[in-house]
Amino acid sequence: MIKACKDANEALARFKDLFVKPVFSGFILKGDFTVKSLVCLKQVPDTETQIKVMPDGSGIVTDGIKYVINPYDEFSVEEALRIKEKMKAGDVTILGLGPDRVVEAIRTALAMGADKGIHVSDDALLQADPYCVAEVLAAVAKQTEFDIIFCGHRAIDDDLGETGAILAELLQIPQVTLVTKIEVAADKKSVTCERDVEGGKEVVESPLPCVVTSQKGLNEPRYASLPGIMKAKKKPVDKKSLGDLGVTIEAKLKCANFTMPPERKAGQKFEGMEPADVAKTVVGLLRTEAKVI
Amino acid sequence: MSKVLIYGEVKSGKLKKSAFELASEGRRIADALGGEVGAVLIGPDTEKYAAELAKYGVDKVFLVDGPVLETYNSEYFAQAMAGVIKEKNSEIVLFSHSMQGKDLAPRTAAKLGTAVIADCVSFRLDGTTLVGRRPMYAGKCFSEWSATGTPQIASARPNVLETAEVAKAGAVEKITVEIDSSRATYSTKELNLDTSGKVDLTEAEIIVSGGRGMGGNDYTLLEEMAGTLGSRATVGASRAAVDAGWRSHSDQVGQTGKTVTPNLYIACGISGSIQHLAGMGSSKVIVAINKDTEAPIFTKADYGIVGDLFKILPEFNKELKALLSE
């Protein structure tokens, strides 16, 4: 069990400021048990946000926006916690990039039960493209121990949906995208995942470490409990800058000319008509006027 | 050299329609820049698709095959794709923003040190720079994206770009790409495809969608109507219906589900929350059936019917059947 000792020692080293009691180290030394998850988390405007574009088209108006954890990242947090609970031990680290408000999102994930947070804050990250974001995530990952890196399959703000795959490539590890089910093997060397493919599902087995991107259907995320929220306040959130990570980023993509979608106006409305009449009328219009059937 | 390169996706022994959309768009771009369009087909026995691609303006079809390329795998296919892009010095590369494209395009791009201008609904050229217009926030706004270097890699939303037949040679060239199969990747254990021939929401031309107003998981009325409308029609659902467990997650239309752009979207018992309207607001024609005359969906609907969907849908289906059997 050389690997077990090695893992336990590494786990101890990483937990040293959190768990100093010898009784805990005794527990840790019992075997190879931990699944270390690194959960990448993005903070995005709530889905009920009315997006408005700035008059000069340079971006969106951010005043008054309510920010939440990207829903797909919430599935990631939940899944990492469930794996930890199922394995009876483990470690869930939340990694967030962006301005100071991102700490709220990290704290929410800590309140759900994650162990610690890493917040990379740097002005250079404002409007960073997925490649740059992945470079930063990769730099953190290289300094962190992990078995599974979770990313949402996309963030519901820019909707690009590519950071997870780029991160996997930068780390030269497998990607398993659009995942709706995960089972960690008993030996903790692989995961079996169910993933969405066009018109169906695929079951794949990936060696660890790997990047998993979460899709809706993976789980139902829990709410943070009050004790959870209290505990989260004391959990460590490590703040890093790009300088600390030794990363310089260079934009691969740029965006401009933000516009609102073409205004859609209400068309004809049919009220108080007999079902048979209204059906005949509308079906007729779909053929003759709209020409879609 | 192929200035523009497209990835031709094959599903169930057929080229996907998106391949023709990409070929047509690639042709338009290449004509404007003065260059050739190449198409990449990966896997065994793909030469048979070359002639179809030629019809849509592809000058050269590059075939890559090898022992690990029999079934799709992100790592191996990305190596193959990146190999062709490097060998052909392609400046612009187009993928479909399909399930497979979402998996393959970014991995390919990362191998070449760049990112993907993903999910574009239109393209234009600014000099030699490709500019992709794409929705953000599920369509609540749009913006224009470009790459800062080459290759410029983009993906296009399926079903949006117009196909145009322009006959070109479609000359076949087999390309050998050395695939490093020692790189860690997953292995596929099972593939469970829906064999009913049901079209995916993102590629459907007609969507009959049900929401909270369905009152339960019985979607028979909607299934029947989709059946009447043919193989390009499918059934969708709102977040409320999915969260209630009435429909599968893969059926969800909206900001946390799928953004769809069918020719016809029929919203049944869907009130029209902001996140739902974002996800289907780009549909060409919207029909809404709802008993609440104040439902926000009516502000977006081309044809709004106020009434009981359980009474209207059977009549609607009857009318459709009569019309489509003519």
Side-chain angles (χ1 to χ4, degrees), chain B residues 210-222 246 268-269 309-310 313:
Chain B
R212 199 189 302 275
M214 294 301 293
N217 63 1
D218 185 356
Y219 271 51
T220 315
L221 286 171
L222 306 193
W246 301 342
C268 308
L309 67 94
F310 296 101
L313 283 178

Side-chain angles (χ1 to χ4, degrees), chain A residues 45-51 53 60 71-72 129-131 153-154 156-163 165-178 192 194-207 215-218 220 250-273 275-276 278-287 289-293, chain B residues 9 11 16 72 74-75 97-100 102-103 106-107 110-111 113-119 124 133-149 183-194 200 202-203 206 229 239 242-243 249 252 254-258 263-264 273-275 281-287 293 298-306 311-312 315-316 319-320 323-324 326:
Chain A
D46 183 79
T47 53
E48 288 305 307
T49 309
Q50 291 273 18
I51 298 291
V53 166
I60 62 157
Y72 296 103
D129 64 57
Y131 193 91
H153 86 85
R154 69 179 162 94
I156 61 157
D157 52 1
D158 61 35
D159 286 334
L160 283 162
E162 54 189 294
T163 306
I166 296 174
L167 173 62
E169 174 61 26
L170 294 178
L171 293 170
Q172 304 220 345
I173 58 174
Q175 70 192 48
V176 188
T177 60
L178 297 157
T192 301
E194 187 181 81
R195 59 183 296 268
D196 277 358
V197 292
E198 209 88 56
K201 297 270 185 193
E202 181 181 55
V203 179
V204 303
E205 187 184 307
S206 173
Q215 166 68 309
K216 185 152 184 175
L218 184 59
E220 287 295 332
E250 194 187 323
K252 305 295 180 189
L253 302 180
K254 54 183 185 184
C255 67
N257 297 340
F258 282 70
T259 50
M260 293 303 283
E263 185 73 25
R264 221 188 159 104
K265 292 206 171 67
Q268 303 175 53
K269 202 166 171 187
F270 306 91
E271 224 168 333
M273 282 171 73
V278 75
K280 194 176 181 65
T281 308
V282 174
V283 168
L285 286 167
L286 288 175
R287 166 62 63 94
E289 190 180 78
K291 298 187 172 65
V292 286
I293 52 172
Chain B
E9 191 176 332
K11 189 195 166 197
K16 289 187 69 179
Y72 175 76
S74 53
E75 170 60 23
H97 194 64
S98 61
M99 293 284 193
Q100 194 182 96
K102 288 174 196 177
D103 192 58
R107 184 118 195 165
K111 285 184 189 292
T114 188
V116 184
I117 307 170
D119 199 20
R124 66 179 177 88
R133 185 168 180 268
R134 54 182 305 279
M136 293 172 74
Y137 306 90
K140 289 176 186 173
C141 74
F142 285 78
S143 57
E144 289 193 321
W145 293 62
S146 54
T148 56
R183 284 279 300 267
T185 186
Y186 60 83
S187 55
T188 299
K189 298 290 168 197
E190 265 176 63
L191 187 58
N192 305 314
L193 293 181
D194 180 357
D200 190 77
T202 53
E203 300 191 18
I206 301 177
L229 289 161
R239 182 165 72 187
V242 170
D243 286 350
H249 297 292
Q252 187 182 324
Q255 199 173 2
T256 51
K258 289 171 179 162
N263 288 333
L264 174 60
S273 64
I274 291 170
Q275 63 85 24
S282 300
S283 306
K284 200 170 149 207
V285 173
I286 297 170
V287 173
T293 184
F298 287 124
T299 64
K300 306 282 173 192
D302 300 282
Y303 305 104
I305 305 173
V306 184
K311 288 186 181 136
I312 293 163
E315 298 293 339
F316 217 89
E319 288 296 332
L320 283 172
L323 185 71
L324 295 171
E326 269 171 22

Side-chain angles (χ1 to χ4, degrees), chain A residues 220-275:
Chain A
E220 287 295 332
R222 70 195 66 188
Y223 290 103
S225 65
L226 193 58
I229 293 167
M230 299 311 288
K231 271 190 218 161
K233 290 181 180 164
K234 292 188 187 127
K235 290 178 180 172
V237 177
D238 196 5
K239 192 168 177 169
K240 289 178 193 290
S241 68
L242 295 192
D244 298 337
L245 295 166
V247 180
T248 45
I249 54 174
E250 194 187 323
K252 305 295 180 189
L253 302 180
K254 54 183 185 184
C255 67
N257 297 340
F258 282 70
T259 50
M260 293 303 283
E263 185 73 25
R264 221 188 159 104
K265 292 206 171 67
Q268 303 175 53
K269 202 166 171 187
F270 306 91
E271 224 168 333
M273 282 171 73
E274 282 301 314

Side-chain angles (χ1 to χ4, degrees), chain A:
Chain A
M1 294 299 285
I2 293 167
K3 190 174 182 297
C5 284
K6 185 173 169 280
D7 279 356
N9 286 334
E10 283 167 3
L12 261 180
R14 288 184 309 105
F15 274 111
K16 67 178 189 301
D17 35 323
L18 274 175
F19 305 109
V20 288
K21 292 180 198 160
V23 60
F24 199 85
S25 64
F27 174 50
I28 280 185
L29 288 167
K30 270 181 191 160
D32 181 16
F33 53 82
T34 54
V35 174
K36 300 168 215 82
S37 297
L38 182 61
V39 180
C40 304
L41 181 148
K42 189 173 188 181
Q43 201 186 31
V44 297
D46 183 79
T47 53
E48 288 305 307
T49 309
Q50 291 273 18
I51 298 291
K52 288 190 189 75
V53 166
M54 304 233 273
D56 65 356
S58 62
I60 62 157
V61 177
T62 52
D63 296 349
I65 285 181
K66 182 187 163 212
Y67 288 93
V68 296
I69 298 177
N70 177 42
Y72 296 103
D73 300 343
E74 223 174 353
F75 300 138
S76 297
V77 176
E78 177 64 33
E79 199 60 25
L81 293 175
R82 286 189 190 189
I83 289 171
K84 177 183 168 178
E85 286 157 5
K86 198 171 167 189
M87 300 289 173
K88 306 276 190 258
D91 176 34
V92 179
T93 302
I94 307 296
L95 168 56
L97 271 55
D100 286 344
R101 60 173 160 77
V102 173
V103 176
E104 289 163 36
I106 295 173
R107 291 272 174 219
T108 304
L110 295 177
M112 286 167 74
D115 300 291
K116 59 182 183 293
I118 300 170
H119 174 217
V120 184
S121 171
D122 204 298
D123 287 347
L125 287 171
L126 291 168
Q127 294 196 328
D129 64 57
Y131 193 91
C132 295
V133 169
E135 280 184 306
V136 177
L137 297 175
V140 176
K142 283 176 187 164
Q143 298 181 354
T144 316
E145 278 185 83
F146 64 88
D147 298 299
I148 307 175
I149 300 183
F150 284 95
C151 292
H153 86 85
R154 69 179 162 94
I156 61 157
D157 52 1
D158 61 35
D159 286 334
L160 283 162
E162 54 189 294
T163 306
I166 296 174
L167 173 62
E169 174 61 26
L170 294 178
L171 293 170
Q172 304 220 345
I173 58 174
Q175 70 192 48
V176 188
T177 60
L178 297 157
V179 169
T180 52
K181 204 190 247 177
I182 306 176
E183 203 70 54
V184 181
D187 64 5
K188 289 151 197 125
K189 285 183 179 143
S190 66
V191 279
T192 301
C193 302
E194 187 181 81
R195 59 183 296 268
D196 277 358
V197 292
E198 209 88 56
K201 297 270 185 193
E202 181 181 55
V203 179
V204 303
E205 187 184 307
S206 173
L208 293 177
C210 71
V211 171
V212 165
T213 76
S214 306
Q215 166 68 309
K216 185 152 184 175
L218 184 59
N219 54 48
E220 287 295 332
R222 70 195 66 188
Y223 290 103
S225 65
L226 193 58
I229 293 167
M230 299 311 288
K231 271 190 218 161
K233 290 181 180 164
K234 292 188 187 127
K235 290 178 180 172
V237 177
D238 196 5
K239 192 168 177 169
K240 289 178 193 290
S241 68
L242 295 192
D244 298 337
L245 295 166
V247 180
T248 45
I249 54 174
E250 194 187 323
K252 305 295 180 189
L253 302 180
K254 54 183 185 184
C255 67
N257 297 340
F258 282 70
T259 50
M260 293 303 283
E263 185 73 25
R264 221 188 159 104
K265 292 206 171 67
Q268 303 175 53
K269 202 166 171 187
F270 306 91
E271 224 168 333
M273 282 171 73
E274 282 301 314
D277 296 339
V278 75
K280 194 176 181 65
T281 308
V282 174
V283 168
L285 286 167
L286 288 175
R287 166 62 63 94
T288 56
E289 190 180 78
K291 298 187 172 65
V292 286
I293 52 172

